Amino acid sequence: MSKKRQELIDTAIRLFGQHGFHATGIDWIAEEANVSKKTMYQHFRSKDELIVAALKHHDGLFRNFFMRAVEDSAETPYERLIAIFDVAHAWFSQHDFYGCMFINAIGEYSNKNTAIQQTCIEFKRLMSSYIEELANLLAVENPVELASELAILLEGSIVTAQVSRNPNAASTAKKAAKILIDNEMK
Amino acid sequence: MSKKRQELIDTAIRLFGQHGFHATGIDWIAEEANVSKKTMYQHFRSKDELIVAALKHHDGLFRNFFMRAVEDSAETPYERLIAIFDVAHAWFSQHDFYGCMFINAIGEYSNKNTAIQQTCIEFKRLMSSYIEELANLLAVENPVELASELAILLEGSIVTAQVSRNPNAASTAKKAAKILIDNEMK
DNA sequence: CGTAATGTAAACAGATCTGTTACCTTTGTC
DNA sequence: GACAAAGGTAACAGATCTGTTTACATTACG
């Protein structure tokens, strides 16, 4: 990938995350990325295309960070499912945490079946799949159900941490997750 | 409250919910509400003021709907805590469900300590308080903790239903809630 | 009926948005 | 050094945004 393109996407992710999508103008992104508008429109034909590119790039980066952190934190599937919420806590504690970019995007582009929306849905699907894979390795009756519950806990902790500006939503969700997993394994 | 003002707020809630805040223009709201822009600016000095008024009004309406529905669905605190997720299911099933307006607002106005943000935080605080009140009536050791967990489940189900366009996130959250409550009561 | 309040319609100001273009500078390569 | 490709600057077009103002119509009520 070209360096300019990379810089544009990185800047877009940062500004979209901080200020939202509609509130972040093209000119602003180009300026912060030290790229002229002309060059920018050679890489992305429209703002929507840039948004989709930024979301997809962030998707890759984020899931890589998240899964790697989970796998570095614990060995067994059981411990890893719980470690998800430790990783979430670390995420929420970052100074530039403004909630989940994909949730925020869905909030701004909720009405139409756009590529933006599809990208967000796909991200959530992939995250759920990851949790499901871990749950499948447990000796439980209904791993899919358990995974759905844990995914909901994760989403809830993200939003709660975002609204309350308190990363401890992850700790609360972790306790709940433990109970749900243990209950299913008993 | 004046009829014009009422019409403006109702329209604002509808359009902001469907299309987001930045994407919904003043002119559009005035037109849909059949109110001239001049009159509109006599009621609200700025768009932000209208947003806050709409959020506060929706806060009142929504919590009233929600709590009443919960109380109509069940008698005991135990049953009511679980009924929360039945009410959520009904909410998610509405044809005009576009997620939680306050979560969406936080996503668009995440950077500053505005009145908009304060209104959203206050809404979430009041919803949590309600859950906490119900949990306090249970014979459990740590009702506050349980309430936090249930609140996270509720938030998670809202976002999941919004993204997946599937109200069944509420059913999943309900199962998880039962387990958490029963586990705390055993 | 007459008056005052209230509302509408529509233009306007000024800013900002996305996207394009004309002109000039830089840069890499032979 | 010559030349072509690429990028920067800055203006522009056209739309849309918030907010104001002017001129006219409607309504309420003594």
Side-chain angles (χ1 to χ4, degrees), chain A residues 30-162:
Chain A
E31 194 188 329
E32 292 258 322
N34 287 112
V35 172
S36 75
K37 244 168 91 171
K38 187 187 176 190
T39 305
M40 167 173 220
Y41 271 97
Q42 276 164 4
H43 286 287
F44 309 100
R45 271 173 299 181
S46 67
K47 182 181 183 181
D48 275 21
E49 206 172 287
L50 171 60
I51 291 176
V52 171
L55 287 174
K56 284 193 172 154
H57 189 76
H58 185 61
D59 175 13
L61 281 185
F62 182 86
R63 282 188 299 111
N64 187 62
F65 148 78
F66 199 88
M67 295 172 186
R68 188 173 294 263
V70 167
E71 277 145 39
D72 287 353
S73 298
E75 281 290 318
T76 68
Y78 173 83
E79 284 167 343
R80 281 179 175 171
L81 279 173
I82 292 168
I84 284 175
F85 297 91
D86 293 325
V87 175
H89 192 284
W91 173 31
F92 301 164
S93 302
Q94 287 172 12
H95 72 282
D96 58 346
F97 171 71
Y98 294 102
C100 171
M101 209 176 178
F102 301 92
I103 295 175
N104 293 344
I106 285 273
E108 289 202 47
Y109 300 92
S110 57
N111 210 18
K112 300 161 199 159
N113 240 37
T114 57
I116 294 173
Q117 230 189 31
Q118 292 303 317
T119 308
C120 297
I121 292 171
E122 178 66 5
F123 167 80
K124 292 295 178 192
R125 201 187 59 74
L126 289 168
M127 288 292 289
S128 291
S129 293
Y130 178 62
I131 298 176
E132 214 171 291
E133 278 169 31
L134 288 176
N136 270 321
L137 298 173
L138 289 186
V140 298
E141 258 190 39
N142 201 335
V144 176
E145 178 91 8
L146 176 62
S148 297
E149 293 170 4
L150 297 179
I152 288 176
L153 274 179
L154 179 58
E155 298 288 3
S157 68
I158 295 169
V159 170
T160 303
Q162 179 182 14

Side-chain angles (χ1 to χ4, degrees), chain B residues 8 24 53 60 87 93-94 110 124 130 144-145 158 171 175:
Chain B
L8 281 167
T24 304
V87 175
S93 302
Q94 286 172 11
S110 56
K124 292 295 177 192
Y130 177 62
V144 176
E145 179 91 8
I158 296 168
S171 316
K175 285 179 198 159

